[in-house]
Amino acid sequence: MKLILLGAPGAGKGTQADIIKQKLGIPTISTGNILRAAVKNGTPTGLKAKAFMDAGQLVPDEVIIGVINERLQESDCANGYILDGVPRTVAQAEALEQAGIRFDAVVALEVPDQRIVDRMGGRRVCEHCGASYHVIHIPPKTEGVCDACGGALVQRKDDSPETVLSRLEVYHKETEPLKGFYEARGVLKTVEDLPTVEDTTQAILKVLGY
């Protein structure tokens, strides 16, 4: 199962990807993580990416697609994967296709903007290990302390209402058109936001045929 989860920032893609990868036994390929790993490991594409990052420039699409392609050749992706963080634009989706990377399903998580603003205001992230929590939906056992490593939980600047609204604007303009792109290819599945994380997981598995 080669899968993308689409949705606005805060729609729950990361949370669902973590659950679904366990259920299906496939890895989540996070663009940010593999870029950092490729740079650290000094792969040919990683060195290209590093040159742009060192110059303070955005890494171009073709380099990002190259890094993803390198990662997808590894043995743990043989039975499928969940791609996280790319594509963000139709241009990136076209570049993935040209590189021969195609998907069995693209799941769009539909969450109203206002609910996202409310939800992200409650997000907290461990500043040590990066684990995610939510003050209402996924609270830590001890307030302000990470269950996994004991690190302090903080609100990222990205999760403040002003930042969230501007990120939603970018999402609607640049990323949402991907729904039409993948619908035309017959692989788009839509899942409405449900009251609990578990309900949403079940709905995703159902549209995937599990």
Side-chain angles (χ1 to χ4, degrees):
M1 176 63 73
K2 297 169 183 171
L3 183 62
I4 306 173
L5 296 182
L6 273 186
K13 299 183 298 294
T15 303
Q16 292 300 335
D18 280 346
I19 299 168
I20 288 162
K21 74 175 184 184
Q22 305 287 351
K23 292 198 182 282
L24 303 189
I26 55 177
T28 296
I29 308 300
S30 156
T31 317
N33 291 350
I34 59 173
L35 256 181
R36 285 187 285 275
V39 169
K40 187 175 160 208
N41 297 335
T43 70
T45 329
L47 293 172
K48 273 189 206 162
K50 186 175 188 299
F52 288 100
M53 289 153 91
D54 287 349
Q57 297 172 329
L58 282 176
V59 180
D61 284 353
E62 64 267 21
V63 177
I64 289 175
I65 305 301
V67 170
I68 290 167
N69 223 342
E70 275 177 6
R71 177 66 184 85
L72 298 185
Q73 305 310 316
E74 293 180 27
S75 59
D76 63 337
C77 293
N79 294 325
Y81 47 81
I82 302 170
L83 197 54
D84 174 24
V86 162
R88 286 185 193 275
T89 61
V90 169
Q92 286 182 348
E94 289 169 345
L96 285 169
E97 276 194 357
Q98 282 158 12
I101 300 168
R102 294 174 188 275
F103 302 97
D104 300 312
V106 175
V107 176
L109 300 175
E110 299 290 347
V111 187
D113 284 5
Q114 187 53 52
R115 199 173 302 163
I116 284 178
V117 174
D118 297 343
R119 184 185 285 178
M120 287 179 79
R123 284 216 305 200
R124 300 291 181 268
V125 177
C126 174
E127 58 184 5
H128 181 64
C129 76
S132 293
Y133 296 87
H134 192 282
V135 291
I136 297 164
H137 304 299
I138 315 170
K141 293 190 180 82
T142 307
E143 190 178 336
V145 180
C146 176
D147 294 348
C149 75
L153 301 183
V154 294
Q155 182 179 43
R156 299 185 315 174
K157 182 171 172 283
D158 273 4
D159 294 337
S160 70
E162 305 74 36
T163 312
V164 172
L165 286 169
S166 70
R167 289 174 71 200
L168 283 169
E169 199 177 315
V170 171
Y171 166 76
H172 290 307
K173 187 170 146 216
E174 295 184 0
T175 306
E176 201 161 31
L178 285 168
K179 291 197 291 198
F181 180 88
Y182 286 115
E183 189 171 27
R185 280 148 183 77
V187 291
L188 186 75
K189 320 275 185 195
T190 301
V191 171
E192 297 295 331
D193 190 42
L194 293 165
T196 69
V197 169
E198 292 77 15
D199 291 343
T200 305
T201 304
Q202 289 309 314
I204 293 171
L205 291 171
K206 188 175 176 189
V207 299
L208 293 178
Y210 288 93

